[in-house]
Amino acid sequence: MEIEEIRGTFKPELIPKETGGDLDDYEDALHVLMKFMGSMSSALEQVSGRGANAIVYQAGKRMGHESAKMMEKTENLEKALDEMGDVLGHEFYFEKWKPSGQSSYTTQEGDQVVIKLLFMDCVVRQTLRRTGLPQKGPLCYLLYGYMVGAVEEVMDIKGKIDIDHVGPNACLKTLTITWSGK
Amino acid sequence: MVQIEIDEDACVGCGSCVEDCPNDVYEMDEAKNKTKVVNLEDCMACLSCHEICPAQAMEHQDIHVAKRLYIDRKVNYALDRII
């Protein structure tokens, strides 16, 4: 395939208005990044073993704290999750989920509140499928970290997330927050 | 609301979907030796059953279909011309 070179005049500008590419260029860039991420993830796992999960989790957590800094602080978990849904956007599109026999989304277990989240659109899952890597690996920890970091930032509380089930179209996760864990 | 159609002609009765579904949406119909939907309300459309079914015997309707940006459209285009 022939590579098209872009030639033109370039002047210094504060905020570039043109990207100099089209949808195909975005797609190519995305796929290269997906392959790069997948390769990094498997290499990290090969070198660090289970420590890879902790590294990626920490990176995600930092991103989560950073993203949620501008969000309104609240002690209401459902309100916090609604707000986080807007921040995470369509690339990590999630909804609250409950089994049909349960009356509310949240359940109280001692000083812990538990809620199930269904992640439908996830760039991590797409990256794993692009690179042929299994789900629940180190790269999934990026999203756990991200969610936990954002919850901690918004609610000023300790949180953790566990995977219940992974699928090709959606993943079910359990978010647990501990009230005494400030 | 999600609807699940099982193609009984295609279903081989292996029970993989029954074992794989985390929310017990499916059950084996022992008389017919086919799978059947018994708990539709708890289906979260993860589509693990699609992935594990060797006969592609099920279809989910009216669900959120996740974006599939991992698909390489150029490869698909090339395959379309070959196949």
Side-chain angles (χ1 to χ4, degrees), chain A residues 95-148:
Chain A
E95 277 181 3
K96 291 169 281 190
W97 189 85
K98 63 179 178 65
S100 56
Q102 195 176 301
S103 56
S104 69
Y105 287 109
T106 54
T107 51
Q108 189 91 29
E109 288 169 16
D111 62 349
Q112 292 185 328
V113 178
V114 178
I115 190 163
K116 287 192 184 295
L117 303 172
L118 189 62
F119 285 85
M120 291 180 276
D121 285 306
C122 172
V123 285
V124 168
R125 193 192 308 129
Q126 295 184 42
T127 302
L128 296 172
R129 291 186 86 77
R130 180 67 182 85
T131 49
L133 289 168
Q135 288 173 269
K136 286 191 189 182
L139 218 48
C140 282
Y141 279 77
L142 192 76
L143 186 57
Y144 310 163
Y146 199 110
M147 286 300 291
V148 169

Side-chain angles (χ1 to χ4, degrees), chain A residues 60-74 78-94 119 121 123 143 145-151 153-154, chain B residues 67:
Chain A
K61 201 169 165 183
R62 206 174 285 182
M63 280 168 61
H65 274 286
E66 208 58 47
S67 305
K69 266 194 179 129
M70 302 298 280
M71 283 162 55
E72 195 187 331
K73 305 279 181 273
T74 176
E78 291 197 39
K79 192 181 165 205
L81 287 169
D82 288 341
E83 252 195 281
M84 279 163 56
D86 295 337
V87 174
L88 289 165
H90 289 103
E91 300 319 320
F92 290 110
Y93 178 62
F94 70 90
F119 285 85
D121 285 306
V123 285
L143 186 57
Y146 199 110
M147 286 300 291
V148 169
V151 166
E153 187 67 35
V154 172
Chain B
K67 278 182 255 179

Side-chain angles (χ1 to χ4, degrees), chain A residues 100, chain B residues 1-5 23-26 37-44 60:
Chain A
S100 56
Chain B
M1 187 184 160
V2 57
Q3 289 295 320
I4 306 172
E5 294 287 331
N23 296 331
D24 301 326
V25 170
Y26 303 102
V37 179
V38 290
N39 190 15
L40 190 64
E41 301 79 37
D42 281 350
C43 176
M44 55 187 186
H60 281 63

